[in-house]
Amino acid sequence: MKAAHRFAEWLGVRESEVRMVLLSFGGAFLVMSFLVLARALREAAYLAVFDASTLPYVMGGVVVLGFPAAAAFSKALELVNPRRAMRSLTLVLAVAVAAIWPFLTGSPAAVVTFYLVTAVGTVLLTSGFWLVVSEMLVVREAKRLFGLISAGGTLGILVTGLAVGATVPHVDPSLLVPGLVFLLLASAGLNEFVP
């Protein structure tokens, strides 16, 4: 028996599930990496322009925009396949972040827009990811595999958090925005290979 098969067996992953678990693990890694990087960049960009005492107002804006965005995403999930809705959300979010990036350093309005887009986008992206994963598994499989898939997210938080901590003191944070776009495009691409 190959070492990879033995390892999968040790993890409780059946041979027919290996591909789906690996792709879901990778998807969780990318989604949580986006969450960590987006939060670090939006906070850095916002606090470079605005006083920290104004943070409750922009967070209130996230809540106000979050409700209609969640309602629209929920409606999209009813109308189309959840994987297709996730792909569309991911691509729209990537385009929005890329469009805001050139204006991020010179425009307070762009900073607020970036904050709102990434914060609301993160909520939709993480919930959509778990919805897609849960649709691929029956309850018994989910109980057995969700912990392993979640480990991909934990690894994404760890790796990205350490990378951001090591990079931001030496680089202008706005230069890391293309990393957000890359994570979104990689997540959309990975979605295409999920069975």
Side-chain angles (χ1 to χ4, degrees):
M1 184 183 278
K2 292 182 181 177
H5 289 288
R6 251 183 280 150
F7 185 65
E9 188 178 295
W10 179 73
L11 291 173
V13 179
R14 296 185 181 113
E15 193 170 332
S16 62
E17 300 167 333
V18 170
R19 180 172 180 229
M20 186 274 302
V21 169
L22 285 174
L23 292 171
S24 298
F25 182 94
F29 179 92
L30 293 169
V31 166
M32 295 311 289
S33 292
F34 176 83
L35 181 143
V36 170
L37 184 57
R39 182 171 182 161
L41 295 181
R42 75 173 165 257
E43 298 289 336
Y46 189 85
L47 293 174
V49 176
F50 298 100
D51 188 69
S53 64
T54 63
L55 272 171
Y57 300 111
V58 76
M59 289 181 188
V62 170
V63 173
V64 168
L65 287 176
F67 282 115
F73 187 55
S74 178
K75 190 69 172 170
L77 291 169
E78 291 174 12
L79 298 174
V80 297
N81 178 306
R83 284 181 52 202
R84 187 173 178 193
M86 268 301 285
R87 179 178 53 240
S88 298
L89 169 69
T90 307
L91 294 176
V92 166
L93 195 53
V95 168
V97 169
I100 297 166
W101 179 45
F103 308 102
L104 200 53
T105 55
S107 167
V111 170
V112 171
T113 303
F114 181 74
Y115 196 104
L116 296 172
V117 166
T118 57
V120 172
T122 297
V123 171
L124 299 178
L125 193 65
T126 53
S127 61
F129 169 79
W130 284 108
L131 177 68
V132 169
V133 171
S134 68
E135 281 207 340
M136 293 187 297
L137 302 169
V138 296
V139 175
R140 179 174 281 169
E141 293 170 330
K143 286 180 180 179
R144 191 168 40 81
L145 299 174
F146 268 11
L148 184 57
I149 294 168
S150 296
T154 303
L155 185 62
I157 291 169
L158 178 68
V159 169
T160 306
L162 291 172
V164 167
T167 306
V168 168
H170 309 292
V171 175
D172 178 11
S174 68
L175 296 176
L176 300 177
V177 174
L180 289 176
V181 176
F182 170 79
L183 290 169
L184 290 167
L185 294 177
S187 178
L190 200 61
N191 186 39
E192 296 304 308
F193 293 102
V194 175

